[in-house]
Amino acid sequence: VRIVSVVGARPQFVKAAPVSAALAGRVDEVMIHTGQHYDPEMSDTFFAELGLAEPLHHLGAGSGSHAEQTARILTGVERVLQDDRPDAVLVYGDTNSTIAAALAAAKLHVPVAHVEAGLRSFDRGMPEELNRVVTDHLSSLLFAPSPVAVDNLRAEGVTSGVHMVGDVMVDALLRARDRVAVPHPVATALGLRAGEYAVATVHRAATTDDPARLRLAVELLSRLELPVIFAVHPRTRGALERAGLLDGMERGESSVVHLLPPVSYLTMIGLMAGARAVLTDSGGMQKEAYLLGTPCVTLRDQTEWVETVEAGWNTLVGLDAARARAALASRAPLERPELYGDGHAAERIVDALLAGC
Ligand code: UD1
């Protein structure tokens, strides 16, 4: 059995690592890197830390408008699939790389297997939501991370090929946890002790692309009354510069904001594990914070990872600074049930792939 797997953006490298390891020796895997993320700290660092093999194909798609980026990936993936004729194409998550690879494969009648199927924010204003919906409807094998994801698929009439396998990010985190130092040297170098700082990231279009909303996010982070380590995505750095918000941000109104470039996977896990709280609009970090037992304050109005909110570990605050401060002041629950599987999702995915190909 030969599988082509397609990755391109930071969280996909994390998701692919445990699956690639589980495929090794059982399935012939050919990896395509679309080049959606290309800066060394957004890509190479992840491959090195996660022990991912160098992809056989690099499409070099780079940045651009949604249509430009998606189109470049679509034609690049099609070329590889025409030459390679794999038994299935494995795609991850909800990025433009995901939808482009799924569409290229489906049109060539190559079965699509989607890891992280069935997630919904029910906000079609998010590019990721459009990518999720379309990818799921193009897929023959749908690997859902949670029962809620299975229910979402059923509500859209998708029941065939659905496997509830758990979340591969749990697999990745369980492998990484023993490799990270807490307190992390990056926090220590900033003079921050475990439990006495927050970690923040912001990169969604809905937060970064409107200068007024970006300003709200900056104000929120600078009024937390707690030092903040803010790892800045290149998209966000560009938006902050254009809005004239970068200068002076480190002298927050009531909290010091330490701006860092994007940090590696293991560094982020170490920083989150030692943090009092995580503030983010990322999907993956909401779950990682939960798994690490660090409360999360999500800078959005809705989430795909509803279970973390129901369990009391994640609070949706939008960009409301007062609600963020209130969430930080509240006590973490005592219980932290296993929401997203036991860390063996990747093996289940490979078993189902072999049974389905
Ligand atoms: C993408 C995904 C998002 C995912 C995120 C993970 C889409 C629509 N969005 O968002 O779902 O959560 O990845 O990080 O696919 N840039 C660089 N260097 C890089 C990569 C990006 O400078 O290596 C800058 C460019 O200015 C680029 C911008 O970041 O235009 C946005 O990058 P893009 O890949 O379009 O989307 P992300 O915001 O990373």
Side-chain angles (χ1 to χ4, degrees):
V1 171
R2 199 166 68 257
I3 302 285
V4 165
S5 50
V6 183
V7 295
R10 214 164 36 167
Q12 291 166 334
F13 311 141
V14 177
K15 291 167 198 171
V19 178
S20 241
L23 286 168
R26 297 183 71 192
V27 176
D28 186 9
E29 183 191 22
V30 172
M31 187 175 275
I32 301 178
H33 188 323
T34 66
Q36 178 169 352
H37 286 174
Y38 44 85
D39 288 342
E41 72 263 32
M42 299 288 286
S43 177
D44 301 359
T45 317
F46 283 73
F47 275 77
E49 270 190 4
L50 293 159
L52 271 169
E54 179 64 22
L56 193 60
H57 302 279
H58 278 274
L59 304 182
S63 302
S65 73
H66 282 278
E68 287 165 347
Q69 189 180 55
T70 308
R72 282 197 290 269
I73 301 169
L74 194 53
T75 49
V77 170
E78 184 183 61
R79 213 174 309 119
V80 175
L81 297 184
Q82 277 167 334
D83 292 346
D84 238 65
R85 289 281 154 194
D87 297 292
V89 169
L90 198 50
V91 300
Y92 294 90
D94 57 14
T95 73
N96 289 345
S97 296
T98 315
I99 191 176
L103 187 54
K107 289 277 179 87
L108 292 172
H109 311 296
V110 178
V112 177
H114 184 204
V115 177
E116 214 178 70
L119 292 186
R120 296 292 181 266
S121 64
F122 301 101
D123 174 4
R124 295 257 173 130
M126 291 175 75
E128 292 85 359
E129 182 76 352
L130 302 175
N131 293 343
R132 289 180 199 121
V133 171
V134 175
T135 302
D136 283 339
H137 286 260
L138 293 171
S139 296
S140 311
L141 284 171
L142 299 100
F143 299 120
S146 64
V148 169
V150 175
D151 291 344
N152 290 339
L153 290 170
R154 190 179 307 119
E156 293 176 16
V158 181
T159 50
S160 158
V162 177
H163 299 260
M164 213 299 280
V165 293
D167 183 4
V168 290
M169 280 186 115
V170 177
D171 301 23
L173 188 82
L174 294 183
R175 288 154 143 241
R177 210 160 43 182
D178 299 337
R179 296 171 62 202
V180 299
V182 183
H184 194 276
V186 168
T188 310
L190 295 170
L192 302 173
R193 290 201 297 248
E196 296 181 359
Y197 65 89
V199 174
T201 72
V202 160
H203 77 278
R204 297 272 170 197
T207 330
T208 60
D209 288 8
D210 173 358
R213 288 185 57 79
L214 188 62
R215 182 178 291 277
L216 284 178
V218 167
E219 285 170 3
L220 183 153
L221 293 182
S222 62
R223 289 177 188 163
L224 291 180
E225 288 153 16
L226 182 69
V228 182
I229 299 178
F230 181 15
V232 188
H233 187 294
R235 159 193 210 117
T236 312
R237 181 168 289 274
L240 288 168
E241 274 167 8
R242 283 192 297 279
L245 291 167
L246 204 52
D247 292 339
M249 195 178 161
E250 294 194 85
R251 300 183 303 277
E253 278 187 38
S254 60
S255 46
V256 178
V257 182
H258 300 276
L259 299 178
L260 298 185
V263 298
S264 75
Y265 177 61
L266 293 178
T267 301
M268 185 50 92
I269 298 298
L271 289 175
M272 284 196 285
R276 166 115 64 90
V278 171
L279 293 104
T280 190
D281 61 0
S282 151
M285 284 175 60
Q286 295 172 46
K287 276 177 302 173
E288 286 164 347
Y290 179 81
L291 297 166
L292 293 165
T294 304
C296 186
V297 177
T298 295
L299 307 177
R300 290 173 48 193
D301 296 317
Q302 74 306 90
T303 179
E304 303 78 38
W305 304 102
V306 286
E307 303 86 352
T308 58
V309 176
E310 283 156 11
W313 283 86
N314 187 6
T315 313
L316 304 177
V317 302
L319 294 175
D320 186 323
R323 278 164 64 199
R325 279 197 301 274
L328 285 179
S330 69
R331 230 176 234 286
L334 297 173
E335 302 282 311
R336 202 154 46 83
E338 188 181 276
L339 298 177
Y340 300 115
D342 55 3
H344 294 282
E347 285 110 284
R348 288 187 201 101
I349 287 171
V350 178
D351 289 344
L353 268 174
L354 283 170
C357 285

